[in-house]
Amino acid sequence: MADQLRNRLVDEILAERRVPADVERAMRTVPRDAFLPGLKLENAYTDQAVTIKDNPGKPLPLSCASVPSVVAMMLEQLGARAADDVLEIGAGTGYNAALLAEIVDRGSVTTVDIDSDVALHARTRLNATGYEHVTVIERDGLLGGPENAPYDRIIATVGVWDIPTTWWDQLNDGGRLVLPLRWRGQTRSVALTRRGHELLSDGMELCGFVPIIGQSGEKTSPLNTDDTIRVHHDEDQNVDPDGLTATLQTGKPALEVPSAQRVGGQEPFDGVWLRATAGDDRVCRLEVTPKALEQELLRRPAIPVRSPVLVEGNSLAYLTITREGTDGERPFRLGAAAYGPQAEELARDLVTHIDAWGVDRLAVPRMTVTPAGCTSTAGHVISKPESRITLTY
C-alpha cells in the first residue's frame, strides 16, 4: 500500500514539473511515511507540509516536513552528483537527508539542526531506514558542518535572510548552494554556483519555509491596535509604523489605480513582487488577517496574507486584483490601492512595476551574491550584514 501511494505521489509531481532521473528514483525509494511515524499513511503521501514540532506562541512551527513537490524542485536545483559531499542545513524529519544519500551514493551527507529533539528524530529515523551513514549534528545551522567540509553542495531547508560567511568557507569553488532566500518580504528558492568570491544564480522559484533561528534582520510591525494588519520589512528599510497606523485610522477610502495587466484565474503574478525588488527598496510584505477583511478596514489586497506593498513614510500602496469579466481568458485586472499623503505617487510606481512585469511575465533576475565588503557587480544592491545581493534583469 505504501509503495502504491508513494509512486502515485511521485507521478503527480512528474505531471506538474520535470524531475531528474536520480531524484525521481530517490523519491520512489525512500519511504516518507517512515520519517513521519504516527501519521496516517495516506497523509504521508499527500503533497503537503507536515508539522513535526510546534513553536508555542509563534505563527510558524519550529520544524516541519517540507512539501514533497518543493523537495523535488530544490533537489533538481541542487544538481547533486553521485560522488558529491553534501551539507544540509535543517535536518527536519531526516527524509531529505535520506533522499540525498540515495543520490550521492558514492559521496557523503551531513545534516545539522539546532534543535535537539529534531536532530534526535532525524537520527532515529535515518537509522531505522538504513541510512546510518548519514552524519547528523546538533548545532546552530549558521555554523555549518566544518568537520566534513569542504562540500560540493550545500542545501538549506529553512528560510535564510542572510548568507553566513561560514557557508562560503565550507563550499568548494564551483560548488552549488540552494537555499530559500528571504528578501523584501518574499522567499525564493535560489540556486547559486560559487565562482571565486561570487555566488551566481541560474534559477529561483517561489517557496515558503520556516525561518532559520538566529537571524533577526526581518521585522514585523502592526499597523492597528488589534494587530490584524501588519507590514513585514527588512531592517534596512525606513518604515514608520505609527505614521502608517495614523493614516489607516483616518477612514479615508483607498486611492485605486489600475494597471494595463490582466491575468487568468490560475495564472501566477508573484513575479510582480520579484520585479519590484530588483530596483525599489520600498518593497515590503503586507499581511491582512481575516478579521480585518471582515471589518473592511481597508481595500482587499490581492493575496491578504502576503501581498507586495510599497511603503514610504506614512503612505503605502499594495497590489490588488479586480474581476472585470470583459476578457474571458484573463478576467482579472491587477492594480494598486494606496493610502496616505503620497498615495498617488506610490500607486503609480507600483503600477509601473506591474506593467514592467507584464512585458515578460516569466523573466527572473540574475542574482549575484558577494560577501559584505566586496565590490558588487552593476545592478540594484541589497546590503545585509554578511552579504551583498545584486539583482539585474
Side-chain angles (χ1 to χ4, degrees):
M1 180 64 174
D3 289 347
Q4 292 178 341
L5 292 172
R6 183 160 58 253
N7 285 320
R8 185 182 70 182
L9 173 61
V10 176
D11 289 342
E12 291 172 355
I13 294 171
L14 288 171
E16 296 295 327
R17 67 176 304 113
R18 183 181 67 85
V19 175
D22 55 353
V23 175
E24 177 187 349
R25 177 183 57 80
M27 296 190 76
R28 293 191 189 278
T29 301
V30 178
R32 188 173 188 250
D33 60 293
F35 292 85
L36 296 166
L39 191 69
K40 289 183 179 180
L41 193 61
E42 57 269 26
N43 292 339
Y45 291 108
T46 57
D47 197 29
Q48 296 180 350
V50 178
T51 297
I52 63 170
K53 186 169 185 178
D54 291 321
N55 196 3
K58 302 292 184 179
L60 296 174
L62 185 66
S63 183
C64 67
S66 300
V67 178
S69 58
V70 174
V71 170
M73 175 267 290
M74 293 182 70
L75 290 177
E76 176 190 351
Q77 288 182 311
L78 189 66
R81 302 157 300 188
D84 280 348
D85 296 316
V86 181
L87 171 64
E88 179 190 38
I89 309 297
T93 63
Y95 172 67
N96 203 58
L99 294 172
L100 288 166
E102 288 286 341
I103 295 169
V104 297
D105 54 353
R106 292 186 286 112
S108 68
V109 178
T110 301
T111 183
V112 301
D113 203 287
I114 194 171
D115 187 89
S116 58
D117 292 337
V118 173
L120 178 60
H121 176 96
R123 176 74 279 161
T124 301
R125 302 322 303 166
L126 286 163
N127 287 352
T129 48
Y131 298 99
E132 299 93 341
H133 55 291
V134 172
T135 300
V136 180
I137 302 173
E138 180 191 331
R139 175 185 295 139
D140 183 349
L142 296 173
L143 301 177
E147 299 93 330
N148 298 329
Y151 300 96
D152 304 296
R153 300 288 189 271
I154 298 178
I155 183 170
T157 57
V158 284
V160 178
W161 183 78
D162 193 5
I163 300 176
T165 55
T166 49
W167 296 4
W168 289 82
D169 296 339
Q170 295 170 29
L171 181 65
N172 280 323
D173 197 15
R176 286 175 69 79
L177 167 64
V178 172
L179 74 167
L181 188 60
R182 304 163 71 92
W183 75 97
R184 302 308 188 227
Q186 62 171 350
T187 305
R188 301 268 169 173
S189 179
V190 184
L192 300 155
T193 299
R194 181 174 181 179
R195 304 295 183 197
H197 294 295
E198 293 183 332
L199 293 170
L200 305 175
S201 75
D202 55 25
M204 57 181 69
E205 298 203 35
L206 188 69
C207 65
F209 276 82
V210 174
I212 196 168
I213 294 173
Q215 292 186 335
S216 56
E218 292 178 292
K219 310 297 180 183
T220 298
S221 298
L223 301 188
N224 61 349
T225 55
D226 290 340
D227 192 19
T228 58
I229 304 173
R230 308 179 187 109
V231 62
H232 302 263
H233 54 97
D234 292 337
E235 63 182 10
D236 67 306
Q237 294 179 291
N238 185 19
V239 173
D240 176 13
D242 293 338
L244 292 170
T245 298
T247 292
L248 295 180
Q249 285 178 341
T250 62
K252 292 182 179 179
L255 170 68
E256 298 187 46
V257 178
S259 77
Q261 306 307 314
R262 298 176 181 271
V263 295
Q266 301 299 317
E267 187 175 1
F269 48 86
D270 55 273
V272 172
W273 199 334
L274 183 60
R275 171 71 69 166
T277 67
D280 196 328
D281 284 324
R282 300 170 297 176
V283 185
C284 305
R285 169 189 158 206
L286 181 68
E287 177 189 4
V288 180
T289 67
K291 181 179 179 181
L293 292 174
E294 291 173 4
Q295 296 174 337
E296 299 182 344
L297 298 181
L298 76 177
R299 169 75 159 80
R300 184 184 181 91
I303 302 176
V305 295
R306 46 174 307 276
S307 285
V309 57
L310 301 186
V311 176
E312 186 168 354
N314 56 351
S315 302
L316 56 82
Y318 55 85
L319 186 68
T320 60
I321 184 168
T322 304
R323 186 181 185 96
E324 293 186 338
T326 56
D327 184 327
E329 293 186 1
R330 289 178 166 172
F332 300 96
R333 184 186 292 275
L334 300 179
Y339 297 84
Q342 295 174 272
E344 184 172 357
E345 175 189 345
L346 291 178
R348 299 290 180 190
D349 287 347
L350 180 53
V351 166
T352 297
H353 293 314
I354 297 170
D355 289 335
W357 162 80
V359 174
D360 186 352
R361 298 187 175 198
L362 299 180
V364 296
R366 178 68 175 269
M367 176 181 288
T368 302
V369 185
T370 58
C374 290
T375 302
S376 301
T377 57
H380 182 71
V381 177
I382 298 174
S383 294
K384 301 194 176 189
E386 296 189 74
S387 66
R388 292 167 59 89
I389 298 171
T390 303
L391 297 166
T392 55
Y393 272 92

